[in-house]
Amino acid sequence: MNNLTILPVLLPLLTGIILLFVTKSIIIQRILSMLSSIIGIGIAGTLVYNVSAHGIIALAVGSWEAPFGIVIVADMLASLLVLTTTIIVCAVLIYSFYSIGEAREKFYYYAMVQFLLVGINGAFLTGDLFNLFVFFEVMLMASYVLLALGGTKVQLRETIKYLLVNVIASALFVITVAYLYSVTGTLNMADLSRKIAEIGQPGIITVIAVSFLIVFGMKGAIFPLFYWLPGSYAAPPIPVIALFGALLTKVGIYSIFRTYTLLFYHDQGYTHTLLGILGILTIIIGIIGAVGYWDLKKIIIYNIIIAIGVITFGISLMNEQALIGTAFYIMHDMIIKAALFLLIGIMIKLTGTNNLREISGLIRTYPVLGWSFFIAAISLAGIPPFSGFAGKLLILQGAAAESAYLGMAVVLLSSLFVLYSVMKIFINGFWGEEKEYPKKDIPYKKLLFPAVLLVAISISYGLGTEFVYPFISQAAETLLHPDIYLDAVLKE
């Protein structure tokens, strides 16, 4: 059973390596990619079931027990995020078959998607800070290729910006890891948690915690380190934007979630207060962009920043309701952001523009697209009973319990602005007088299928809150009580 924990990393790694040698056959690449994704969903689902039934599963790679060897750890939060990630990648691959274009398919597109998945799943499952850095780098190297693939001027410009930002962040990551090792003598996260608890988080540990916040905040696009995201995410094709928007920033946020609940939770008066302030400022910046733009991509991209702020604020509260709500909200946001990007991608293909002022009346000809977008929009805003409601409500309850009324008000107001920004797309793009658009041979139904699939999963997630709650509650229990994680990994 323990060997199951490494399969979400090994499967896409082996698939990606094989895909490197079959680039001349697009059909084989598609079949292998889809087969790997379907198997991956099965593995991730099995992993969630086993963690639910038996508790945290830890695998000592090479039989070197923690804290001396590399450890892969599947707790409920990591397992749920791996399952969500694999489902999203599967849907995006289906969309890619009919939209990414043969030129990109022949130049390692599907292999890079698999390597991206290696980095993301590895970051979720690793129990070691240095290997977190390694998986970050695997993820980033694949993302550099995906961002530049196609070679347009805007892609190359944004790739340079994205590359420079992440090189600086990675350098700071290594320096911060080195400082932490010099103080504690270990990089295993369970062992770190135990040793930091023993020494009581002195000032140097708090400085290291803030340094990690800068590193992960830069990768997760928290204020004021978000500046690279809007341009970089708007440059590549829609399937790549969907992968980036749904997954990449969540890895940075997950890293904050993990370190600030497992390692740096002793001096909450400073670290978590700072985290809460940055979360509120991130929400405000996201609102300004989402409301101000009329570019379809930019509106949804700035909604990513709003969600990052909400999640960051939820983590800062550090009580049971807030952590359960944050875990709920992360998975909701991953699914719904991927769905929204695929839906606006269809709108752009149909109209030939991403300027909302030049689009109207689409619902007359494409009603399924319109109503799918409407459901995704109200889900994003947290309208009950859809998927965004439960998580946001629990975060608000957690904020009330901590008397964090300013943050509570900002999160509540953000829901209104989110609703306004996405309903602006629905009202202006789908209603009104139907315009004439250039006739193109577009596989509309084939593109619509994965988007509708993600919307359906989001609906099920919202309506099935009672079914999902025990899994999320188990994830939050581990976050609130680090001893559960320590006992599973260190086998004490």
Side-chain angles (χ1 to χ4, degrees):
M1 185 175 67
N2 284 22
N3 293 331
L4 189 67
T5 57
I6 196 67
L7 291 182
V9 178
L10 283 182
L11 178 64
L13 177 61
L14 293 174
T15 305
I17 292 170
I18 294 169
L19 289 173
L20 290 175
F21 296 97
V22 294
T23 52
K24 292 183 179 179
S25 176
I26 292 174
I27 297 298
I28 293 176
Q29 288 191 76
R30 290 177 178 178
I31 292 171
L32 287 175
S33 297
M34 185 50 55
L35 185 62
S36 178
S37 293
I38 293 170
I39 295 171
I41 291 171
I43 291 170
T46 305
L47 188 61
V48 169
Y49 170 78
N50 284 334
V51 172
S52 173
H54 306 291
I56 297 172
I57 303 170
L59 172 66
V61 179
S63 298
W64 285 80
E65 295 296 332
F68 304 107
I70 296 171
V71 181
I72 302 296
V73 184
D75 67 345
M76 184 53 73
L77 178 62
S79 303
L80 288 171
L81 291 175
V82 167
L83 177 60
T84 307
T85 297
T86 312
I87 290 170
I88 290 169
V89 169
C90 185
V92 172
L93 282 173
I94 297 171
Y95 190 95
S96 299
F97 295 161
Y98 309 104
S99 68
I100 199 69
E102 288 190 9
R104 289 185 172 92
E105 288 179 302
K106 288 180 178 178
F107 280 89
Y108 310 106
Y109 171 75
Y110 294 114
M112 289 305 114
V113 171
Q114 295 299 320
F115 292 136
L116 187 77
L117 187 57
V118 171
I120 294 169
N121 285 347
F124 290 148
L125 292 169
T126 186
D128 180 277
L129 271 181
F130 184 77
N131 284 292
L132 178 62
F133 167 75
V134 171
F135 284 120
F136 257 110
E137 293 307 298
V138 172
M139 177 187 75
L140 289 171
M141 284 188 286
S143 69
Y144 299 151
V145 178
L146 289 171
L147 184 55
L149 199 58
T152 64
K153 183 178 179 180
V154 65
Q155 281 181 274
L156 296 177
R157 184 189 69 218
E158 294 301 331
T159 300
I160 292 170
K161 183 202 302 182
Y162 180 76
L163 183 66
L164 288 173
V165 167
N166 280 289
V167 165
I168 293 168
S170 295
L172 183 58
F173 195 167
V174 172
I175 293 167
T176 307
V177 166
Y179 272 122
L180 186 59
Y181 183 78
S182 70
V183 173
T184 61
T186 184
L187 291 177
N188 178 278
M189 285 195 270
D191 199 34
L192 276 168
S193 180
R194 182 181 62 181
K195 289 189 175 181
I196 291 172
E198 289 173 354
I199 62 178
Q201 192 169 333
I204 184 62
I205 296 292
T206 300
V207 171
I208 291 169
V210 174
S211 297
F212 273 119
L213 179 57
I214 294 170
V215 171
F216 298 140
M218 193 174 293
K219 294 179 185 293
I222 293 174
F223 178 88
L225 305 169
F226 69 95
Y227 52 87
W228 58 269
L229 186 142
S232 297
Y233 278 23
I238 285 294
V240 178
I241 300 176
L243 288 172
F244 284 14
L247 304 178
L248 293 199
T249 51
K250 303 307 183 298
V251 179
I253 294 300
Y254 165 81
S255 300
I256 294 173
F257 208 171
R258 179 65 71 193
T259 55
Y260 270 61
T261 54
L262 183 62
L263 308 182
F264 309 121
Y265 60 90
H266 305 281
D267 186 18
Q268 294 182 27
Y270 184 83
T271 54
H272 289 64
T273 300
L274 176 62
L275 194 61
I277 292 169
L278 294 179
I280 292 169
L281 293 172
T282 304
I283 294 171
I284 294 169
I285 289 296
I287 287 170
I288 293 170
V291 171
Y293 275 99
W294 284 79
D295 182 299
L296 290 173
K297 294 180 183 178
K298 291 289 181 70
I299 292 171
I300 307 300
I301 286 169
Y302 273 96
N303 271 288
I304 295 172
I305 296 174
I306 296 173
I308 290 165
V310 172
I311 294 165
T312 304
F313 176 70
I315 297 169
S316 73
L317 297 170
M318 279 297 287
N319 59 41
E320 184 176 9
Q321 289 171 313
L323 293 183
I324 292 174
T326 303
F328 256 114
Y329 195 81
I330 286 176
M331 287 183 288
H332 143 77
D333 193 67
M334 291 167 73
I335 295 167
I336 211 65
K337 285 296 192 314
L340 282 167
F341 277 118
L342 298 187
L343 289 167
I344 65 166
I346 298 170
M347 293 174 66
I348 293 168
K349 278 192 173 292
L350 291 171
T351 61
T353 180
N354 56 342
N355 185 345
L356 185 56
R357 290 190 175 95
E358 298 175 7
I359 305 172
S360 69
L362 286 176
I363 204 162
R364 298 173 189 270
T365 308
Y366 307 102
V368 177
L369 174 64
W371 292 116
S372 296
F373 184 90
F374 176 78
I375 293 170
I378 60 177
S379 297
L380 182 69
I383 304 298
F386 296 102
S387 61
F389 174 70
K392 194 167 284 188
L393 177 63
L394 287 165
I395 291 172
L396 291 171
Q397 289 176 347
E402 298 295 325
S403 301
Y405 299 118
L406 175 60
M408 188 177 173
V410 172
V411 171
L412 274 172
L413 286 172
S414 75
S415 296
L416 296 176
F417 286 110
V418 167
L419 184 62
Y420 169 78
S421 69
V422 286
M423 290 308 292
K424 180 169 72 173
I425 296 176
F426 181 70
I427 292 169
N428 289 277
F430 289 97
W431 295 105
E433 184 180 347
E434 188 174 11
K435 292 185 177 181
E436 290 290 331
Y437 301 105
K439 298 295 181 183
K440 296 180 180 179
D441 185 17
I442 297 169
Y444 166 69
K445 292 182 180 179
K446 293 176 181 178
L447 291 172
L448 188 62
F449 170 71
V452 171
L453 178 64
L454 289 175
V455 172
I457 291 170
S458 174
I459 294 170
S460 301
Y461 184 58
L463 297 178
T465 298
E466 189 173 345
F467 171 77
V468 177
Y469 187 87
F471 297 94
I472 305 290
S473 181
Q474 184 178 344
E477 185 181 7
T478 304
L479 297 170
L480 278 168
H481 305 288
D483 287 342
I484 299 172
Y485 188 96
L486 270 62
D487 291 343
V489 176
L490 301 176
K491 297 179 172 57
E492 296 179 340

